[in-house]
């Protein structure tokens, strides 16, 4: 018998793949279209479950498409990362300590970029 835990994907990998397919699309995609964009390696029910979970999290919105739904991301990859960073920051009561630790671990290049953004000199996109 095979070890099922060895076959499992890392947490978030499937969601990341589905989001990448949606970001690459020119418009809303149905679960079947997402499945096709991912190379058909996942069952349509799995894709539908992932899309439903992303919808519950507010990461995608859905629109009626025939008897089902078509999905579109609520923001781009950078916006989603920023939202996740805000969510993590909100989990800790000592925001100053969290921000201090975060900034202290930035590379020199990232620190320069952050400083420029805070001074209004950088391009946030």
């Amino acid at each position: 018998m095979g070890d099922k835990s060895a076959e499992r994907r890392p947490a978030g990998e499937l969601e990341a793949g589905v989001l990448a397919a949606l970001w690459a699309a020119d418009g809303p995609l149905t679960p079947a279209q997402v499945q096709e964009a991912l190379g058909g390696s996942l069952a349509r029910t799995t894709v539908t479950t992932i899309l439903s979970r992303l919808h519950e999290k507010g990461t995608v919105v859905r629109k009626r498409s025939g008897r089902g739904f078509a999905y579109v991301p609520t923001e781009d990859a950078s916006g989603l990362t920023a939202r996740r960073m805000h969510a993590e920051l909100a989990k800790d009561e000592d925001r100053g300590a969290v921000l201090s630790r975060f900034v202290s671990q930035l590379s020199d290049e990232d620190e320069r970029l952050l400083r420029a953004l805070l001074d209004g000199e950088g391009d946030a996109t």
Side-chain angles (χ1 to χ4, degrees):
M1 291 199 146
D3 180 11
K4 291 283 184 193
S5 64
E7 297 172 17
R8 293 188 60 87
R9 292 178 175 88
E13 182 179 312
L14 292 177
E15 286 185 1
V18 167
L19 282 169
L22 291 172
W23 286 322
D26 291 331
L29 297 180
T30 64
Q33 291 168 322
V34 172
Q35 179 191 33
E36 184 179 323
L38 295 173
S41 60
L42 297 174
R44 189 174 314 169
T45 54
T46 301
V47 173
T48 301
T49 298
I50 294 165
L51 287 165
S52 294
R53 289 181 181 162
L54 289 170
H55 180 259
E56 290 169 9
K57 294 177 182 181
T59 307
V60 299
V61 292
R62 62 186 181 193
K63 302 171 184 179
R64 272 279 170 211
S65 177
R67 295 189 308 164
F69 293 101
Y71 296 82
V72 63
T74 57
E75 52 199 340
D76 63 10
S78 297
L80 180 59
T81 300
R83 183 179 357 154
R84 288 177 177 160
M85 291 169 69
H86 279 285
E88 288 300 316
L89 181 60
K91 290 179 185 178
D92 200 299
E93 290 183 22
D94 191 351
R95 296 170 73 92
V98 174
L99 287 169
S100 176
R101 181 74 51 90
F102 176 76
V103 170
S104 72
Q105 295 175 358
L106 290 175
S107 68
D108 290 343
E109 181 179 334
D110 286 342
E111 185 177 343
R112 281 191 293 277
L113 176 58
L114 180 58
R115 203 170 292 284
L117 289 169
L118 291 171
D119 290 341
E121 299 168 8
D123 182 5
T125 58

